[in-house]
């Protein structure tokens, strides 16, 4: 049964609660047709997750708990009765728990459980077991003979000459009969053992701890895991995600819907952070414990919710996961014109670069992202100040997050040479055979305006030039119109007319003298210059 906690507990106090072990029990086997289960609690909503829950068909009238996987079989511990006689645990009033294994179908349904190991299944309660990646070492919990609710953790190795025989059963050096050590879970790389304990170092009743396993098989110091996982209540059943990015656990603290709920925390530099309740499509007002991921979308958990066969039952879940991305448009702040070829950098919560792209011709960009993370978008482009925007992917149910970003154009640079002083800009672009300024070039003209505003003492002469395509007369007329258009735009921004002059020179002053010019040479010759007038 679970505790409903509605008292806010001050951070500076340490409350040591009575350790309450989830009942370990036994059962007769009952084959159940697969049935979809629904739960709903409006207190928290789905919290960004969507799960579908199914009965597994292996549950009995006693207590059954999921553990994990070994050699493509599902491992559980259960109080189900084996034979006519069964030794009864005086605390749970059920048979002592034993370890079982079940075949798994291609749809991740579970078959009838069989005893896992005669060597391990003795007279005490057996609890969680965890396996090395190679399958040649186990860590498992077993209750004390004198107290069936206090567990200790052991390790054993497989006999290399006899498949399935576990030998060298050894108690871990940090066991202590004055407290319980439960739910061992070995990391994927075999270097860290996680477990739950109510040892004196716990800030609550049960906390999640870890210990390093050294290359020589010895153990480092026991450490309470850092971050936001542990509370002044109980945290149990640690389980790392398949990619090691998250730690799943059960807690009756945090924002539990009642009793133990399943949570997950993200692995970060300073520990496990961003702890999140998996929501009411998996959690209920009853206990949900022992979350076990099988694939990205399939997993198992254990619950004492209504409608089960025994005290605690094992359920299969399917999570609905969609590919997620963030997309947006980079624009100039003043004109809101999209900016092509801006550099966009996606940063994680630690400021580490995740990916980099350049904006397309229409200013758009896109990155794939993961759910329930904090990100920052950094954008920069030559001639503009850098800018950034932050967002969080606070749901697993949205395909695209939007994050537009604007950049402020820098004032144009003043360049002084022995020959002349001028305002350096990107070329001004016009429509074909027209004096109409292209929208994108209004950004460039705005930088000229900014420079003039910063330097009220200077005057400029606007000089427009064409390439040699077309007649001399036509080009001269067109260049005069283009110079006048640039001047008109600057005047529209409030610059005094007595600071501006304009003139067109047609094709008479090319930067590159050529009779058969390339497109690139024509482009260089087509230009508008902003010459500073010396007085």
């Amino acid at each position: 049964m679970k505790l409903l906690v509605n008292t806010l507990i001050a951070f500076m106090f340490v409350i040591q609660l009575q350790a309450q072990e989830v009942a370990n029990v036994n059962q007769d086997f009952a084959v159940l047709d697969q049935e979809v289960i629904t739960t709903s609690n409006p207190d928290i909503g789905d919290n960004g997750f969507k799960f579908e829950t199914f009965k597994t068909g292996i549950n009995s009238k006693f207590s059954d708990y999921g553990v994990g996987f070994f050699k493509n079989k599902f491992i559980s511990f259960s109080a189900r009765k084996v034979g006519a006689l069964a030794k009864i645990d005086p605390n749970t009033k059920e048979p002592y728990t034993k370890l079982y294994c079940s075949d798994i179908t291609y749809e991740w349904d579970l078959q009838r459980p069989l005893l896992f190991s005669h060597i391990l299944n003795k007279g005490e309660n057996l609890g969680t077991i965890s396996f090395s990646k190679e399958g040649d070492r186990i860590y498992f919990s077993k209750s004390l003979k004198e107290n069936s609710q206090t567990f200790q953790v052991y390790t054993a190795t497989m006999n290399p000459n006899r498949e399935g025989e576990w030998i060298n059963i050894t108690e871990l050096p940090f066991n202590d009969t004055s407290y319980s050590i439960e739910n061992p879970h070995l990391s994927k790389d075999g270097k860290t053992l996680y477990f739950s304990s109510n040892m004196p170092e716990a800030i609550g009743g049960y906390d999640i701890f870890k210990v390093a396993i050294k290359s020589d098989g010895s153990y480092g110091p026991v450490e309470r895991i850092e971050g936001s996982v542990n509370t002044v209540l109980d945290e149990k059943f640690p389980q790392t995600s398949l990619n090691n990015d998250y730690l799943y656990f059960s807690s009756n603290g945090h924002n539990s819907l009642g009793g133990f709920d399943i949570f997950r925390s993200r692995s970060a530099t300073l520990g496990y952070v961003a702890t999140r309740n998996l929501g009411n499509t998996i959690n209920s007002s009853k206990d949900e414990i022992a979350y076990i991921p099988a694939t990205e979308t399939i997993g198992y958990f254990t619950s004492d919710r209504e409608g089960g066969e025994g005290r605690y039952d094992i359920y299969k879940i399917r999570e609905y996961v969609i590919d997620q991305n963030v997309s947006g448009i980079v624009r100039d702040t003043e004109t809101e014109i999209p900016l092509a070829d801006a550099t966009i950098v996606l940063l994680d919560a630690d400021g580490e670069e995740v990916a980099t792209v350049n904006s397309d011709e229409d200013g758009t960009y896109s990155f794939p992202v993961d759910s329930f993370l904090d990100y920052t978008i950094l954008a920069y482009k030559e001639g503009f100040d850098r800018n950034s925007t932050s967002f969080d992917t606070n749901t697993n149910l949205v395909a695209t997050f939007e994050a537009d970003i604007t950049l402020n154009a820098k004032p144009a640079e003043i360049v002084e040479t022995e020959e002349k002083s001028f305002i350096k800009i990107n070329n001004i672009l016009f429509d074909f055979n027209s004096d109409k300024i292209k929208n994108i070039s209004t950004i460039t003209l705005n930088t000229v305006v900014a420079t003039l505003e910063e330097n009220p003492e200077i005057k400029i002469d606007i000089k427009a030039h064409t390439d040699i395509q077309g007649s001399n007369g036509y080009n001269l007329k067109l260049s005069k119109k283009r110079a006048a258009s640039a001047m008109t735009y600057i005047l529209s921004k409030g610059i005094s007319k007595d600071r501006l002059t304009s003139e067109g020179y047609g094709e008479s002053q090319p930067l590159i003298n050529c009779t058969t010019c390339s497109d690139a040479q024509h482009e260089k010759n087509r230009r508008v210059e902003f010459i500073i007038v010396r007085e």
Side-chain angles (χ1 to χ4, degrees):
M1 301 297 296
K2 303 177 156 192
L3 297 171
L4 289 173
V5 180
N6 43 29
T7 303
L8 181 63
I9 303 174
F11 171 73
M12 297 299 294
F13 292 100
V14 175
I15 296 182
Q16 198 76 13
L17 299 181
Q18 175 80 29
Q20 181 181 15
E21 173 63 20
V22 178
N24 295 328
V25 266
N26 285 315
Q27 61 179 165
D28 285 329
F29 178 74
V31 177
L32 299 174
D33 292 332
Q34 190 179 65
E35 179 184 345
V36 177
I37 313 293
T38 59
T39 65
S40 179
N41 189 314
D43 293 343
I44 193 172
D46 60 33
N47 213 22
F49 297 91
K50 185 179 180 181
F51 294 92
E52 190 174 13
T53 304
F54 304 88
K55 290 184 177 179
T56 57
I58 69 168
N59 297 306
S60 69
K61 64 181 181 181
F62 298 104
S63 295
D64 301 276
Y65 304 87
V67 170
F69 305 96
F70 177 67
K71 295 187 180 297
N72 299 318
K73 294 185 183 295
F74 183 82
I75 308 301
S76 61
F77 65 96
S78 171
R80 67 179 68 238
K81 292 174 67 175
V82 179
L85 299 177
K87 185 179 178 182
I88 302 300
D89 182 341
N91 290 298
T92 66
K93 311 305 181 187
E94 293 188 326
Y96 282 90
T97 54
K98 299 181 183 297
L99 286 166
Y100 292 84
C101 62
S102 299
D103 288 332
I104 306 170
T105 72
Y106 73 98
E107 291 184 337
W108 296 95
D109 296 323
L110 305 178
Q111 302 294 310
R112 183 187 181 100
L114 301 174
L115 279 173
F116 175 69
S117 169
H118 291 284
I119 293 175
L120 300 179
N121 286 318
K122 298 295 185 181
E124 305 85 8
N125 279 321
L126 285 177
T128 306
I129 186 170
S130 189
F131 302 86
S132 66
K133 183 171 62 175
E134 298 77 14
D136 58 356
R137 179 175 288 276
I138 58 173
Y139 294 87
F140 66 98
S141 57
K142 181 175 65 171
S143 68
L144 299 175
K145 290 184 177 181
E146 61 273 19
N147 183 354
S148 66
Q149 298 298 285
T150 298
F151 286 76
Q152 306 286 269
V153 175
Y154 300 80
T155 186
T157 57
M158 183 179 286
N159 187 341
N161 302 315
R162 190 169 182 178
E163 183 77 13
E165 181 181 357
W166 299 101
I167 60 175
N168 302 323
I169 298 176
T170 306
E171 187 175 351
L172 296 195
F174 46 84
N175 279 349
D176 191 312
T177 58
S178 65
Y179 49 79
S180 189
I181 300 178
E182 307 173 10
N183 315 136
H185 171 69
L186 186 63
S187 62
K188 303 296 185 295
D189 61 9
K191 295 181 179 180
T192 305
L193 183 68
Y194 298 89
F195 57 88
S196 176
S197 178
N198 61 345
M199 61 179 56
E201 291 77 9
I203 62 174
Y206 281 82
D207 280 1
I208 295 175
F209 294 83
K210 67 178 181 179
V211 62
I213 302 174
K214 301 179 181 180
S215 57
D216 62 0
S218 62
Y219 300 91
V222 172
E223 301 174 311
R224 190 174 61 246
I225 62 171
E226 297 179 329
S228 60
V229 169
N230 292 315
T231 69
V232 292
L233 295 178
D234 299 317
E235 283 70 46
K236 293 188 175 187
F237 296 97
Q239 181 85 207
T240 52
S241 63
L242 299 177
N243 59 9
N244 283 323
D245 288 345
Y246 296 95
L247 179 72
Y248 292 96
F249 63 97
S250 291
S251 173
N252 57 10
H254 296 287
N255 55 335
S256 166
L257 300 182
F260 283 91
D261 280 0
I262 299 170
F263 295 81
R264 81 174 191 185
S265 285
R266 178 170 55 86
S267 177
T269 304
L270 298 178
Y272 287 96
V273 300
T275 295
R276 193 175 188 92
N277 190 307
L278 296 194
N280 69 358
T281 61
I282 186 171
N283 290 315
S284 71
S285 60
K286 294 290 188 174
D287 283 339
E288 280 72 42
I289 57 176
Y291 180 85
I292 306 164
T295 71
E296 183 182 4
T297 59
I298 300 294
Y300 302 88
F301 71 97
T302 299
S303 177
D304 65 344
R305 62 183 57 190
E306 301 295 334
E309 298 301 313
R311 287 193 186 177
Y312 282 85
D313 286 351
I314 300 167
Y315 296 86
K316 183 183 79 172
I317 57 99
R318 178 183 292 114
E319 182 179 5
Y320 290 86
V321 177
I322 59 176
D323 292 332
Q324 296 180 295
N325 69 83
V326 58
S327 63
I329 301 175
V330 185
R331 291 186 172 93
D332 171 65
T333 301
E334 184 173 353
T335 65
E336 297 187 350
I337 292 173
L339 297 175
D341 204 34
T343 300
I344 319 298
V345 184
L346 180 67
L347 304 173
D348 65 17
D350 297 322
E352 297 293 327
E353 179 179 328
V354 178
T356 299
V357 297
N358 287 343
S359 57
D360 295 333
E361 287 298 318
D362 56 0
T364 60
Y365 74 90
S366 181
F367 293 105
V369 294
D370 294 325
S371 57
F372 306 110
L373 295 179
D374 295 322
Y375 289 102
T376 297
I377 297 289
L378 172 66
Y380 59 92
K381 180 179 173 67
E382 184 178 359
F384 294 82
D385 292 324
R386 294 185 175 213
N387 194 15
S388 63
T389 184
S390 297
F391 69 99
D392 62 274
T393 55
N394 60 354
T395 179
N396 206 17
L397 307 176
V398 173
T400 300
F401 299 90
E402 295 184 1
D404 294 342
I405 191 167
T406 60
L407 298 181
N408 294 324
K410 296 179 180 178
E413 179 186 0
I414 296 176
V415 176
E416 299 200 16
T417 68
E418 292 182 0
E419 299 176 351
K420 62 183 177 180
S421 298
F422 61 95
I423 297 177
K424 181 181 178 181
I425 60 165
N426 293 326
N427 208 357
I428 304 298
L429 303 177
F430 297 85
D431 289 343
F432 179 70
N433 278 346
S434 171
D435 62 345
K436 183 179 179 182
I437 300 168
K438 286 186 177 291
N439 283 339
I440 190 66
S441 287
T442 61
I443 299 173
T444 303
L445 287 171
N446 287 339
T447 68
V448 175
V449 171
T451 300
L452 292 173
E453 289 174 340
E454 287 187 353
N455 300 273
E457 74 284 357
I458 67 173
K459 299 179 180 181
I460 60 171
D461 183 23
I462 303 170
K463 297 183 176 183
H465 307 270
T466 67
D467 56 35
I468 63 173
Q469 300 177 95
S471 67
N472 289 340
Y474 178 82
N475 285 338
L476 181 62
K477 183 178 179 180
L478 180 61
S479 66
K480 290 180 181 292
K481 288 183 177 180
R482 287 180 170 177
S485 292
M487 180 174 171
T488 299
Y489 183 87
I490 294 173
L491 289 172
S492 73
K493 296 297 182 179
I495 300 301
S496 175
K497 186 175 182 180
D498 61 9
R499 299 177 64 191
L500 306 174
T501 58
S502 70
E503 187 57 76
Y505 296 89
E507 59 187 74
S508 64
Q509 298 181 10
L511 286 178
I512 301 173
N513 285 309
C514 52
T515 55
T516 305
C517 302
S518 66
D519 289 343
Q521 290 171 326
H522 283 312
E523 184 177 350
K524 286 190 175 181
N525 286 331
R526 293 191 301 267
R527 67 197 189 278
V528 177
E529 299 174 314
F530 296 85
I531 306 301
I532 296 175
V533 178
R534 301 179 187 273
E535 295 186 347

